[in-house]
Amino acid sequence: MKKRILGIALAICMMIFCVPMGVFAAEAPIFSGGTGTQGDPWLIASQADLSALAEFLNSGNAEQFDAENAGVGNCHGYYFKQTADIDLTGVTWEPIGYSGSYYFAGNYDGGGHSITNAVSTGKVDPEGYATAGIFGWVAFGSVANLHVKNANFVATGQNNYSYVGGIAGVCYGSSIENCSVVNSSLESKRNNNNNCAGSIVGYSTGGTFEKCAAENNQIRTMAYGGGFVGEVDDDPDYGAGNSTFTNGYVANCTVISETDDSQGTSFSGGFAGEITDSTLTIQNCYVYQATLSTVGNAVPQGTGVFAGNLWGGQYDC
């Protein structure tokens, strides 16, 4: 139901107008080379580089890094290039960016490489919102050419939403292109109802998705679960525009929505768990052999090959 993200969207807007751009509060990590420009991106070549990027965002040290002086911060206008497959076995992973204050606004090019064996119980912000994914929040940025394999992500909200996705927990006014998530387990929970999980992202408002694939994943949620995205919520009040999905697919994914909260909601969709207030663009997307179920006492609950629930208004696809 209508939630939740508006307050954080307003916080992002406050960041845009209030962050001073003249002085950097911290130095950027060295990474494995590069200067962060489009022609000379920062190079992500190892576990250490990837972890340094997460620490850079989550510590707040990237808050004033804004190459275009747009007032967005958080690496807006900076570029990253992954140059090797990265195995996160043995790493206690925290997502890159995790809240409406500390989000990733840069441009990450995975270079066609993979990130494998990431395990995370997510990160909770001071307001109780929890995210898990390689990225937690991507806002005003982009992720491309990245392939996530064998991930195990779980996030539990503390009296607030949890967002879980293989690429990102939340996609806010950003693009995700030519990415895939395979053979992964993705679960959102909360100490009561309302949370969302999807193979690519848990939650999208104004996201642009092109040439993305989800295969052989297990998605579990207490509210909104989708083979591709847990929830699409393009409320005009959020100011991020409408989500678009082009040339994407879901294959052989299992989506389970389960809660014992009789006042909660429980929806499973082959592509999206719930779509709210949306005028969607969907082209050449399909769902193949999805296994969908809802369990528990929630009213309402439902499943759908494309969407588990369409809520609030009319839909143009």
Side-chain angles (χ1 to χ4, degrees), residues 91-310:
V91 174
T92 301
W93 180 248
E94 288 191 344
I96 300 167
Y98 72 101
S99 74
S101 296
Y102 302 133
Y103 47 85
F104 178 77
N107 303 283
Y108 190 95
D109 181 356
H113 294 290
S114 64
I115 297 175
T116 58
N117 302 315
V119 177
S120 178
T121 55
K123 190 169 178 64
V124 181
D125 75 9
E127 296 181 350
Y129 291 89
T131 57
I134 296 300
F135 294 83
W137 277 64
V138 180
F140 313 109
S142 67
V143 181
N145 308 315
L146 178 63
H147 306 294
V148 175
K149 302 177 182 179
N150 303 317
N152 189 330
F153 294 145
V154 180
T156 303
Q158 304 299 313
N159 292 312
N160 258 322
Y161 256 71
S162 62
Y163 310 96
V164 179
I167 300 296
V170 173
C171 178
Y172 182 98
S174 298
S175 68
I176 296 178
E177 181 178 353
N178 194 30
C179 292
S180 67
V181 178
V182 302
N183 299 326
S184 295
S185 176
L186 308 143
E187 182 174 4
S188 63
K189 298 191 292 185
R190 181 175 169 168
N191 51 359
N192 48 43
N193 203 247
N194 283 356
N195 47 90
C196 45
S199 291
I200 304 299
V201 297
Y203 178 95
S204 172
T205 181
T208 300
F209 302 87
E210 185 172 359
K211 297 180 181 177
C212 292
E215 297 183 16
N216 302 314
N217 299 315
Q218 303 287 322
I219 300 102
R220 184 179 290 271
T221 181
M222 295 171 63
Y224 311 118
F228 193 102
V229 53
E231 183 172 10
V232 182
D233 188 7
D234 292 338
D235 190 318
D237 289 342
Y238 301 159
N242 296 321
S243 297
T244 65
F245 301 86
T246 308
N247 300 322
Y249 72 88
V250 176
N252 301 310
C253 289
T254 298
V255 184
I256 301 170
S257 183
E258 178 177 4
T259 180
D260 291 327
D261 184 353
S262 62
Q263 296 182 341
T265 55
S266 184
F267 297 109
S268 295
F271 196 86
E274 178 169 85
I275 299 174
T276 73
D277 292 312
S278 298
T279 301
L280 293 176
T281 299
I282 300 173
Q283 296 179 322
N284 301 323
C285 294
Y286 71 87
V287 176
Y288 178 73
Q289 290 191 344
T291 301
L292 311 171
S293 66
T294 58
V295 182
N297 302 316
V299 179
Q301 61 177 270
T303 61
V305 172
F306 176 72
N309 188 48
L310 302 176

